[in-house]
Amino acid sequence: MNEQSIVIMDAVNLNYHSPEGETPALEDISLSVSKGEFISIVGPSGCGKTTILSLIAGLIRPTSGRILIEGKEVDGPSSKTGYMLQQDHLFEWRTIQQNVLLGLEIQGKITKENKRRAIHLLETYGLADFRDHYPWQLSGGMRQRVALIRTLAINPDLLLLDEPFSALDYQTRLALSDEVAGIIRKEEKTALLVTHDISEAISMSDRILVLSKRPGSVKSEYSIHLTGENRSPVELRKAPEFRNYFNKIWKELDVHVS
Amino acid sequence: MSVNKRHNNDSPEHLAYLNKIKQKEIAVRVSQIAILLAFLALWELAASLKWIDSFITSQPTRIWNTIRNLYQTGELYRHVFVTLYETIIGFTLGTITGTAIAIVLWWSDFAAKVADPYLVVLNSLPKVALGPIIIVWMGAGTASIVTMALLVSVIVTVIGVLNGFLDVSPDKIKLLKTFGATKRQILTKVVLPASIPTIISALKINVGMSWVGVIVGEFLVSKAGLGYLAVYGGQVFQLDLVMTSVIIMLVAAALMYQGVAWLEKRYMKGRR
Ligand SMILES: Nc1ncnc2c1ncn2[C@@H]1O[C@H](COP(=O)(O)OP(=O)(O)OP(=O)(O)O)[C@@H](O)[C@H]1O
Ligand SMILES: [Mg+2]
């Protein structure tokens, strides 16, 4: 836990309460994320992955333990973090541009400067022609890209991505994960990605955390070093080390089809 | 990028298909008009040939004459105007009040839980039964009639619109929260706009509801309006007048419904 850490979770526990009872979702989670790092979280369904992101985003409070972003305790949503959900949730009554400006609007930061930045992002990532279109006129991949730009428009340092590709078909998913990895690197963001897809995690990340089943705790951690010409996730899947990581994590996850 | 965009180079097969749809549409429309005309013709014929007693059933030509007379004396406008005025005010108030109450109940989970049994009971109460009470409280005039229309439509609006609000996807709300949205922003940026289609269907129902309220109100207290005309016609045993006012109501209510449908179409333009 050095001062370079953008996120620190220190011995975090979280229990959900409902009339049916108490659900321990996370148990003694500690992790630290350095600036510029790309971390993936994998783990069995229901082990608390989304809960981790919700905690860091300040949407819920931990039962015990501390969560710090840039050294400050999280006490609510902050414009330093951008959260991208599994579904794009573009608002069908808004045009693409209006959708992208949503975050700035909510935070009362619609300035000429910020607006120009957001529109520039649309242009850079090939959506300029669709500014005045409505979401239903775009393909699934394009919509998810718009959702990412909506997240980037508030200029967060930290991106929280909750299975952002899982609603897409395989081809689109590969292409988009490549593109998103590129965007995140280019914009120099720190990212925390939750995914079910081991290959996706290995090809995109610097580090992978494997969670145990509920209540989730960090079971193991892998630093990923793949050798390849460039850093494109699609290319990195061909790296010689890829298989090795895959097998280890696969075993770790202990997936049973029963 | 309209999905059903027509292309000039449609294949003959596709053109045949489109043609078939068109033909069917025309056949339906022709049948609808034919039934109406046949009904009117039969009615007219039966009355002329004395199969039925036109004194109690009236007949299309007599209705037509009644409308003409009313038009010439200028009374037609007066009655139609009075009823439309009351209906539109009642309709608007019912929708606005209902939506406002729904907003309060959405805002406060506690209030919604407390209100729930009252809503259920009030919803099943036949609101027109409150007519005599309203008249005592508000006097025998327009205020009572408008209140009647409001009462008839307000509870269904509250229930319909609140359900629409609660149907808004929790993830859309989560998305706003990640941007740090306040409750007020959640209401105005997502809950209300996402519920516009629900509110429009409430409007459609309220057209019918407010007509019920106004006509019953007019039955009870009025000195003018289509409901008054119908009751008066019944009292002096002028069935022509009764039928005439019913038919004018029919046309007016249909036009009002079309107005809402037009609003809906305009709103939905370009969106899905
Ligand atoms: N609001 C809540 N109230 C009660 N229990 C909850 C709540 N949210 C989540 N849980 C429970 O907590 C556990 C962890 O949920 P979470 O959504 O974080 O899992 P996840 O790892 O993201 O799962 P998935 O892979 O299915 O997305 C689950 O067992 C879930 O049922
Ligand atoms: Mg999840």
Side-chain angles (χ1 to χ4, degrees):
Chain A
M1 292 191 196
N2 52 35
E3 64 267 60
Q4 279 281 44
S5 298
I6 176 164
V7 183
I8 291 173
M9 291 181 85
D10 183 18
V12 170
N13 286 283
L14 186 111
N15 302 334
Y16 281 114
H17 296 274
S18 68
E20 290 73 43
E22 191 172 7
T23 315
L26 295 176
E27 197 173 78
D28 194 26
I29 297 270
S30 292
L31 62 87
S32 95
V33 184
S34 310
K35 261 204 161 69
E37 223 183 346
F38 195 121
I39 294 190
S40 287
I41 300 174
V42 297
S45 188
C47 72
K49 302 181 293 294
T50 299
T51 306
I52 293 183
L53 298 192
S54 300
L55 282 165
I56 296 174
L59 297 175
I60 49 177
R61 298 293 117 81
T63 305
S64 67
R66 292 197 314 155
I67 301 163
L68 308 173
I69 292 182
E70 291 183 335
K72 276 205 276 320
E73 191 124 8
V74 175
D75 62 352
S78 121
S79 56
K80 287 203 182 90
T81 47
Y83 198 135
M84 189 170 164
L85 303 155
Q86 182 171 355
Q87 248 90 39
D88 55 65
H89 290 297
L90 297 181
F91 292 177
E92 60 267 31
W93 58 89
R94 284 172 170 249
T95 62
I96 297 308
Q97 177 169 329
Q98 290 166 342
N99 265 292
V100 163
L101 294 177
L102 181 68
L104 291 171
E105 215 174 293
I106 299 236
Q107 299 177 351
K109 289 187 191 153
I110 296 271
T111 59
K112 259 208 186 98
E113 169 73 27
N114 284 337
K115 217 167 148 177
R116 191 157 348 107
R117 239 193 103 254
I119 293 168
H120 184 69
L121 283 169
L122 278 176
E123 283 162 359
T124 313
Y125 301 113
L127 290 159
D129 294 343
F130 295 92
R131 272 168 57 172
D132 297 323
H133 284 59
Y134 284 93
W136 64 272
Q137 297 172 304
L138 271 63
S139 69
M142 285 162 91
R143 293 175 62 124
Q144 203 55 284
R145 241 186 302 158
V146 174
L148 177 64
I149 293 172
R150 178 182 58 196
T151 313
L152 291 173
I154 58 167
N155 205 7
D157 299 322
L158 172 69
L159 289 173
L160 306 171
L161 311 167
D162 196 352
E163 307 189 41
F165 313 121
S166 58
L168 305 170
D169 63 85
Y170 186 69
Q171 305 288 332
T172 314
R173 183 178 180 142
L174 267 188
L176 196 68
S177 65
D178 225 26
E179 205 169 340
V180 166
I183 296 174
I184 289 174
R185 249 170 217 129
K186 185 156 168 258
E187 308 286 331
E188 299 177 326
K189 305 295 181 193
T190 308
L192 227 75
L193 170 78
V194 163
T195 178
H196 271 117
D197 185 333
I198 304 175
S199 307
E200 190 172 284
I202 300 171
S203 63
M204 291 180 83
S205 326
D206 302 313
R207 199 144 57 96
I208 297 180
L209 303 179
V210 183
L211 297 193
S212 68
K213 59 179 197 292
R214 192 171 59 85
S217 57
V218 181
K219 199 172 172 189
S220 54
E221 197 181 310
Y222 294 88
S223 284
I224 307 294
H225 301 283
L226 298 173
T227 45
E229 306 273 290
N230 58 29
R231 297 263 272 151
S232 137
V234 171
E235 288 302 315
L236 286 175
R237 284 176 190 236
K238 296 173 190 148
E241 304 88 349
F242 190 89
R243 268 296 82 205
N244 201 3
Y245 286 124
F246 189 96
N247 289 335
K248 274 199 230 160
I249 295 173
W250 176 262
K251 275 214 196 86
E252 195 84 54
L253 277 176
D254 201 16
V255 186
H256 292 292
V257 182
S258 50
Chain B
M1 283 182 87
S2 162
V3 181
N4 43 22
K5 192 158 118 191
R6 290 283 169 79
H7 296 287
N8 295 327
N9 51 359
D10 277 341
S11 70
E13 191 188 331
H14 190 65
L15 286 176
Y17 164 80
L18 290 177
N19 210 16
K20 212 164 139 192
I21 294 184
K22 191 90 195 238
Q23 301 256 304
K24 200 164 178 181
E25 269 171 23
I26 293 173
V28 168
R29 191 44 54 85
V30 167
S31 310
Q32 288 168 337
I33 294 171
I35 288 176
L36 181 65
L37 291 180
F39 174 73
L40 290 176
L42 188 67
W43 186 1
E44 182 69 32
L45 192 72
S48 313
L49 297 178
K50 306 262 182 266
W51 297 346
I52 53 176
D53 183 356
S54 65
F55 182 66
I56 56 169
T57 62
S58 188
Q59 79 187 83
T61 44
R62 294 172 65 151
I63 294 173
W64 176 246
N65 286 335
T66 311
I67 295 180
R68 251 196 12 217
N69 284 341
L70 284 174
Y71 175 72
Q72 275 156 3
T73 57
E75 270 187 278
L76 183 66
Y77 277 132
R78 191 165 64 92
H79 292 298
V80 171
F81 177 79
V82 164
T83 301
L84 268 186
Y85 170 79
E86 291 161 346
T87 311
I88 289 173
I89 304 257
F91 167 80
T92 313
L93 282 181
T95 309
I96 293 178
T97 316
T99 306
I101 295 174
I103 289 176
V104 171
L105 298 184
W106 173 83
W107 194 282
S108 161
D109 195 38
F110 182 76
K113 286 230 165 71
V114 172
D116 186 60
Y118 295 101
L119 283 177
V120 172
V121 170
L122 285 178
N123 191 35
S124 42
L125 173 80
K127 264 66 71 180
V128 291
L130 299 176
I133 305 175
I134 295 169
I135 293 166
V136 170
W137 287 355
M138 321 228 10
T142 312
S144 286
I145 298 171
V146 169
T147 307
M148 200 72 183
L150 181 137
L151 275 185
V152 173
S153 58
V154 76
I155 303 292
V156 270
T157 310
V158 173
I159 294 176
V161 172
L162 181 61
N163 281 333
F165 286 174
L166 297 177
D167 255 5
V168 174
S169 126
D171 270 351
K172 279 204 165 81
I173 293 172
K174 179 173 178 179
L175 171 75
L176 283 211
K177 284 187 179 159
T178 65
F179 290 129
T182 59
K183 190 145 193 171
R184 196 198 165 90
Q185 283 176 320
I186 291 172
L187 177 70
T188 56
K189 300 284 180 196
V190 63
V191 171
L192 278 177
S195 306
I196 295 281
T198 320
I199 294 175
I200 290 178
S201 36
L203 288 183
K204 282 182 168 169
I205 296 170
N206 283 353
V207 170
M209 292 291 175
S210 46
W211 275 93
V212 170
V214 164
I215 298 303
V216 170
E218 287 186 352
F219 280 0
L220 293 176
V221 292
S222 71
K223 291 175 195 66
L226 296 170
Y228 162 78
L229 215 57
V231 168
Y232 173 76
Q235 282 165 352
V236 300
F237 243 81
Q238 259 199 320
L239 266 294
D240 296 343
L241 205 53
V242 180
M243 293 292 188
T244 301
S245 54
V246 169
I247 283 172
I248 298 174
M249 281 176 213
L250 211 74
V251 173
L255 284 180
M256 209 162 140
Y257 185 87
Q258 282 304 315
V260 176
W262 175 81
L263 209 74
E264 180 176 28
K265 216 164 152 188
R266 233 184 79 125
Y267 175 78
M268 290 300 174
K269 215 161 133 191
R271 299 148 215 231
R272 279 262 165 108

